[in-house]
Structure formats: C-alpha cells, structure tokens
Amino acid sequence: MSEIKEIPASVTWPLRQRVMYPEAQQDDVRLETDHLGKHFGLFDGAQLLSVVSVFQHGDDFQFRKFATSTAEQGKGHGSRLLQHVIGYCGRLGARRLWCNARVSARPFYKRFGFSSAGEAYEKAGISYIKMERFF
C-alpha cells in the first residue's frame, strides 16, 4: 500500500532529475524557492515513486516539478498525489491551484477539474500551457 508523506526538498531532487531532466545534473533541478515550498512524495514502502512541490502565495497555490518514476507511470500514483495536493490546498483555503504543464499532459489535468489558461508556449524545446483549478 502506498503512502503520501511530506518530505524535504532534497529528497525530490533525484527523482525530478531522472524523470524530467535526465540529461541535466541533479544540481540543475533545484529551485531557488525550494526552501519556501511543501514537498510531497508517494512511497511504496521505502521506494519513492512520485514527487511534487507546492508553493503558496496567499490563497493562490502553484505546484511544480511533478514527477512519477518512469517505470511507475500509468499506475495511478500521480493521480493519487495530485488528489492529495488538491485536498491539501483546499484545506488551506486556496482560491486557485495552478501549474505550468506540458501540453501533452493537458488531458490528465482536465480529469481533475483543471482548465487551460492562456496560450501554449515553448521553453527548451518543450511546449507548456498554464493549467488552473478554482476552489
């Protein structure tokens, strides 16, 4: 049975790097604001399967660096973790939860009540779009 726990930012870095930026160094996946966020990991026993970082700005919340181990994708781990984040932000009085999502992930976020905001854009050869959900 998997379990979601709050974790230090440093615990997210290896999985972030392997899944999102395999060509980068682990130091390259650290955010300057990591110390300001809440970081969650979904574990199966001691094995970390999925991570996400949440940043609060008043009643506006952003999640970043949402990654699930490649071998574990499609098994519902990311869905469980995103549901946890939605509940966490809701309990803290969030008005809006948003992320800069890869365009290819838009259908995933729509299943959780997110909608596109603005136009897609490219960064480092990857197409992104802002996805947001209001409470």
Side-chain angles (χ1 to χ4, degrees):
M1 176 81 176
S2 59
E3 179 183 8
I4 296 171
K5 304 178 197 177
E6 187 175 333
I7 57 177
S10 60
V11 174
T12 71
W13 299 336
L15 187 57
R16 277 185 194 174
Q17 186 270 327
R18 280 194 313 272
V19 173
M20 302 177 81
Y21 310 100
E23 72 291 343
Q25 298 298 314
Q26 190 171 307
D27 284 346
D28 298 333
V29 303
R30 297 177 184 184
L31 299 172
E32 286 184 23
T33 57
D34 267 340
H35 67 285
L36 300 174
K38 293 286 185 190
H39 310 277
F40 298 98
L42 184 141
F43 291 82
D44 182 10
Q47 185 180 9
L48 181 60
L49 305 178
S50 190
V51 296
V52 66
S53 300
V54 180
F55 299 89
Q56 181 177 359
H57 307 281
D59 60 0
D60 201 51
F61 290 74
Q62 178 187 17
F63 64 94
R64 300 184 67 186
K65 307 301 183 193
F66 185 17
T68 299
S69 174
T70 305
E72 295 294 326
Q73 290 176 8
K75 297 180 180 179
H77 304 306
S79 294
R80 266 200 70 217
L81 191 53
L82 183 56
Q83 287 172 324
H84 178 83
V85 166
I86 291 167
Y88 168 80
C89 294
R91 288 188 298 278
L92 292 179
R95 178 187 62 84
R96 180 178 74 135
L97 175 61
W98 67 279
C99 70
N100 291 313
R102 293 178 185 220
V103 169
S104 60
R106 188 179 352 202
F108 172 78
Y109 291 111
K110 285 188 172 193
R111 291 196 330 251
F112 294 91
F114 287 80
S115 57
S116 302
E119 299 296 318
Y121 63 94
E122 276 202 25
K123 181 177 176 185
I126 299 170
S127 295
Y128 293 92
I129 190 154
K130 183 183 280 187
M131 300 293 293
E132 61 186 6
R133 180 186 194 279
F134 289 90
F135 288 81

